[in-house]
Amino acid sequence: MSFKLEVWGDYALFTRPEMKVERVSYDVITPSAARGILEAIFWHPGLCWKVDRIYVLRPIRFTNVRRNEVSAKISGRNVQTAMRKGGDADSLYLCTKDCIAQRAAMVLRDVHYVIEAHFEMTDKASPADNAGKFCEMFRRRASQGQCYHQPCFGTREFPANFRLWEDGEIETAYPHEERDLGFMLYDMDYTDVRNIRPMFFRAVMKNGVIDLTGTEVYR
């Protein structure tokens, strides 16, 4: 069974990985970001979300903003050292005031999508779990605006509003156009946790819809 979830917000930033300093967003939401929104509403180890289609309801518009970012991070090695030594937290202190950096970003504005997706059961589902149970849980949570954490459009500064789409036919912003959006990030391959690899796909928007069913993925 598939669901349609309407999501919208003022800004979005789906960062292109090739832009290492100044942030530049993809033209539309990525499948991995769409999956993240679904998981923020309902996640369970017994299911795995699969995004089927993305409907673009508003024209693609960009704007430039400046954002404060932290130029340093706490290394995992320091965390492990502190754990072994039993409480040496000096190396875990990060003063954001001293390492703040202001960077420009080209972000999307006034975004509005409908995400069509379904889930598949995984081997981590218990005997008491079943697809019907999960369907009702997701439908109830999405209808009541419940979520485990606030879903966002790429970064936490840009929250995403959501509701279950039950309005019938979807009118997109590009009903008679076909656009090649180039290669986009599809998701991350966690098959080997020691070698996590990005997966890309060729995004083509036809009549305002990006169809991900049968997508050829490149690693």
PDB file of all heavy atoms in Angstrom, residues 52-65:
ATOM      1  N   ASP A  52       8.463   6.396  -4.088  1.00  0.00           N
ATOM      2  CA  ASP A  52       8.070   6.035  -5.452  1.00  0.00           C
ATOM      3  C   ASP A  52       8.049   7.238  -6.390  1.00  0.00           C
ATOM      4  O   ASP A  52       8.569   7.169  -7.503  1.00  0.00           O
ATOM      5  CB  ASP A  52       6.684   5.378  -5.449  1.00  0.00           C
ATOM      6  CG  ASP A  52       6.666   4.090  -4.651  1.00  0.00           C
ATOM      7  OD1 ASP A  52       7.658   3.343  -4.710  1.00  0.00           O
ATOM      8  OD2 ASP A  52       5.663   3.839  -3.943  1.00  0.00           O
ATOM      9  N   ARG A  53       7.442   8.329  -5.945  1.00  0.00           N
ATOM     10  CA  ARG A  53       7.317   9.513  -6.799  1.00  0.00           C
ATOM     11  C   ARG A  53       7.384  10.772  -5.951  1.00  0.00           C
ATOM     12  O   ARG A  53       6.978  10.766  -4.790  1.00  0.00           O
ATOM     13  CB  ARG A  53       5.996   9.499  -7.597  1.00  0.00           C
ATOM     14  CG  ARG A  53       5.907   8.370  -8.599  1.00  0.00           C
ATOM     15  CD  ARG A  53       4.527   8.274  -9.221  1.00  0.00           C
ATOM     16  NE  ARG A  53       4.411   7.080 -10.058  1.00  0.00           N
ATOM     17  CZ  ARG A  53       4.117   5.871  -9.592  1.00  0.00           C
ATOM     18  NH1 ARG A  53       3.858   5.725  -8.283  1.00  0.00           N
ATOM     19  NH2 ARG A  53       4.062   4.836 -10.387  1.00  0.00           N
ATOM     20  N   ILE A  54       7.864  11.836  -6.572  1.00  0.00           N
ATOM     21  CA  ILE A  54       7.895  13.156  -5.947  1.00  0.00           C
ATOM     22  C   ILE A  54       7.169  14.121  -6.878  1.00  0.00           C
ATOM     23  O   ILE A  54       7.541  14.276  -8.047  1.00  0.00           O
ATOM     24  CB  ILE A  54       9.341  13.627  -5.691  1.00  0.00           C
ATOM     25  CG1 ILE A  54      10.038  12.701  -4.688  1.00  0.00           C
ATOM     26  CG2 ILE A  54       9.358  15.069  -5.200  1.00  0.00           C
ATOM     27  CD1 ILE A  54      11.517  12.983  -4.518  1.00  0.00           C
ATOM     28  N   TYR A  55       6.126  14.759  -6.363  1.00  0.00           N
ATOM     29  CA  TYR A  55       5.339  15.724  -7.133  1.00  0.00           C
ATOM     30  C   TYR A  55       5.763  17.126  -6.711  1.00  0.00           C
ATOM     31  O   TYR A  55       5.770  17.447  -5.519  1.00  0.00           O
ATOM     32  CB  TYR A  55       3.844  15.544  -6.866  1.00  0.00           C
ATOM     33  CG  TYR A  55       3.294  14.181  -7.230  1.00  0.00           C
ATOM     34  CD1 TYR A  55       3.475  13.089  -6.386  1.00  0.00           C
ATOM     35  CD2 TYR A  55       2.582  13.987  -8.411  1.00  0.00           C
ATOM     36  CE1 TYR A  55       2.966  11.839  -6.712  1.00  0.00           C
ATOM     37  CE2 TYR A  55       2.066  12.736  -8.738  1.00  0.00           C
ATOM     38  CZ  TYR A  55       2.258  11.668  -7.885  1.00  0.00           C
ATOM     39  OH  TYR A  55       1.756  10.433  -8.207  1.00  0.00           O
ATOM     40  N   VAL A  56       6.093  17.960  -7.687  1.00  0.00           N
ATOM     41  CA  VAL A  56       6.532  19.331  -7.418  1.00  0.00           C
ATOM     42  C   VAL A  56       5.332  20.252  -7.620  1.00  0.00           C
ATOM     43  O   VAL A  56       4.874  20.456  -8.748  1.00  0.00           O
ATOM     44  CB  VAL A  56       7.694  19.739  -8.344  1.00  0.00           C
ATOM     45  CG1 VAL A  56       8.164  21.157  -8.031  1.00  0.00           C
ATOM     46  CG2 VAL A  56       8.847  18.747  -8.207  1.00  0.00           C
ATOM     47  N   LEU A  57       4.827  20.821  -6.528  1.00  0.00           N
ATOM     48  CA  LEU A  57       3.584  21.591  -6.588  1.00  0.00           C
ATOM     49  C   LEU A  57       3.795  23.080  -6.781  1.00  0.00           C
ATOM     50  O   LEU A  57       2.851  23.795  -7.114  1.00  0.00           O
ATOM     51  CB  LEU A  57       2.756  21.362  -5.316  1.00  0.00           C
ATOM     52  CG  LEU A  57       1.808  20.151  -5.330  1.00  0.00           C
ATOM     53  CD1 LEU A  57       2.575  18.853  -5.524  1.00  0.00           C
ATOM     54  CD2 LEU A  57       0.989  20.085  -4.055  1.00  0.00           C
ATOM     55  N   ARG A  58       5.008  23.569  -6.531  1.00  0.00           N
ATOM     56  CA  ARG A  58       5.288  24.988  -6.717  1.00  0.00           C
ATOM     57  C   ARG A  58       6.528  25.159  -7.576  1.00  0.00           C
ATOM     58  O   ARG A  58       7.419  24.302  -7.567  1.00  0.00           O
ATOM     59  CB  ARG A  58       5.468  25.690  -5.366  1.00  0.00           C
ATOM     60  CG  ARG A  58       4.152  25.872  -4.619  1.00  0.00           C
ATOM     61  CD  ARG A  58       4.333  26.588  -3.315  1.00  0.00           C
ATOM     62  NE  ARG A  58       3.082  26.637  -2.571  1.00  0.00           N
ATOM     63  CZ  ARG A  58       2.995  26.876  -1.271  1.00  0.00           C
ATOM     64  NH1 ARG A  58       4.102  27.108  -0.558  1.00  0.00           N
ATOM     65  NH2 ARG A  58       1.822  26.909  -0.655  1.00  0.00           N
ATOM     66  N   PRO A  59       6.624  26.274  -8.310  1.00  0.00           N
ATOM     67  CA  PRO A  59       7.791  26.488  -9.177  1.00  0.00           C
ATOM     68  C   PRO A  59       9.097  26.474  -8.389  1.00  0.00           C
ATOM     69  O   PRO A  59       9.142  26.862  -7.215  1.00  0.00           O
ATOM     70  CB  PRO A  59       7.525  27.876  -9.785  1.00  0.00           C
ATOM     71  CG  PRO A  59       6.045  28.065  -9.681  1.00  0.00           C
ATOM     72  CD  PRO A  59       5.633  27.362  -8.431  1.00  0.00           C
ATOM     73  N   ILE A  60      10.150  26.012  -9.052  1.00  0.00           N
ATOM     74  CA  ILE A  60      11.473  25.946  -8.422  1.00  0.00           C
ATOM     75  C   ILE A  60      12.059  27.353  -8.381  1.00  0.00           C
ATOM     76  O   ILE A  60      12.270  27.985  -9.411  1.00  0.00           O
ATOM     77  CB  ILE A  60      12.395  25.000  -9.221  1.00  0.00           C
ATOM     78  CG1 ILE A  60      11.804  23.590  -9.237  1.00  0.00           C
ATOM     79  CG2 ILE A  60      13.800  25.001  -8.639  1.00  0.00           C
ATOM     80  CD1 ILE A  60      12.489  22.639 -10.207  1.00  0.00           C
ATOM     81  N   ARG A  61      12.308  27.837  -7.167  1.00  0.00           N
ATOM     82  CA  ARG A  61      12.866  29.185  -6.980  1.00  0.00           C
ATOM     83  C   ARG A  61      14.037  29.115  -6.013  1.00  0.00           C
ATOM     84  O   ARG A  61      13.971  28.418  -5.003  1.00  0.00           O
ATOM     85  CB  ARG A  61      11.809  30.148  -6.427  1.00  0.00           C
ATOM     86  CG  ARG A  61      10.587  30.335  -7.316  1.00  0.00           C
ATOM     87  CD  ARG A  61       9.768  31.518  -6.820  1.00  0.00           C
ATOM     88  NE  ARG A  61       8.527  31.672  -7.575  1.00  0.00           N
ATOM     89  CZ  ARG A  61       7.335  31.341  -7.124  1.00  0.00           C
ATOM     90  NH1 ARG A  61       7.220  30.840  -5.903  1.00  0.00           N
ATOM     91  NH2 ARG A  61       6.250  31.509  -7.854  1.00  0.00           N
ATOM     92  N   PHE A  62      15.083  29.876  -6.326  1.00  0.00           N
ATOM     93  CA  PHE A  62      16.264  29.933  -5.469  1.00  0.00           C
ATOM     94  C   PHE A  62      16.397  31.320  -4.851  1.00  0.00           C
ATOM     95  O   PHE A  62      15.898  32.311  -5.391  1.00  0.00           O
ATOM     96  CB  PHE A  62      17.532  29.622  -6.268  1.00  0.00           C
ATOM     97  CG  PHE A  62      17.688  28.184  -6.655  1.00  0.00           C
ATOM     98  CD1 PHE A  62      17.194  27.717  -7.865  1.00  0.00           C
ATOM     99  CD2 PHE A  62      18.335  27.290  -5.818  1.00  0.00           C
ATOM    100  CE1 PHE A  62      17.338  26.392  -8.234  1.00  0.00           C
ATOM    101  CE2 PHE A  62      18.487  25.964  -6.174  1.00  0.00           C
ATOM    102  CZ  PHE A  62      17.987  25.512  -7.380  1.00  0.00           C
ATOM    103  N   THR A  63      17.071  31.362  -3.722  1.00  0.00           N
ATOM    104  CA  THR A  63      17.421  32.628  -3.093  1.00  0.00           C
ATOM    105  C   THR A  63      18.731  32.436  -2.342  1.00  0.00           C
ATOM    106  O   THR A  63      19.100  31.303  -1.991  1.00  0.00           O
ATOM    107  CB  THR A  63      16.315  33.117  -2.126  1.00  0.00           C
ATOM    108  OG1 THR A  63      16.626  34.436  -1.691  1.00  0.00           O
ATOM    109  CG2 THR A  63      16.205  32.212  -0.907  1.00  0.00           C
ATOM    110  N   ASN A  64      19.449  33.532  -2.111  1.00  0.00           N
ATOM    111  CA  ASN A  64      20.727  33.471  -1.405  1.00  0.00           C
ATOM    112  C   ASN A  64      20.549  33.906   0.041  1.00  0.00           C
ATOM    113  O   ASN A  64      19.900  34.921   0.314  1.00  0.00           O
ATOM    114  CB  ASN A  64      21.760  34.378  -2.085  1.00  0.00           C
ATOM    115  CG  ASN A  64      22.211  33.826  -3.432  1.00  0.00           C
ATOM    116  OD1 ASN A  64      22.691  32.709  -3.514  1.00  0.00           O
ATOM    117  ND2 ASN A  64      22.042  34.607  -4.485  1.00  0.00           N
ATOM    118  N   VAL A  65      21.131  33.164   0.953  1.00  0.00           N
ATOM    119  CA  VAL A  65      21.111  33.511   2.371  1.00  0.00           C
ATOM    120  C   VAL A  65      22.517  33.309   2.927  1.00  0.00           C
ATOM    121  O   VAL A  65      23.364  32.658   2.312  1.00  0.00           O
ATOM    122  CB  VAL A  65      20.099  32.640   3.169  1.00  0.00           C
ATOM    123  CG1 VAL A  65      18.694  32.820   2.657  1.00  0.00           C
ATOM    124  CG2 VAL A  65      20.506  31.168   3.123  1.00  0.00           C
TER     125      VAL A  65
END
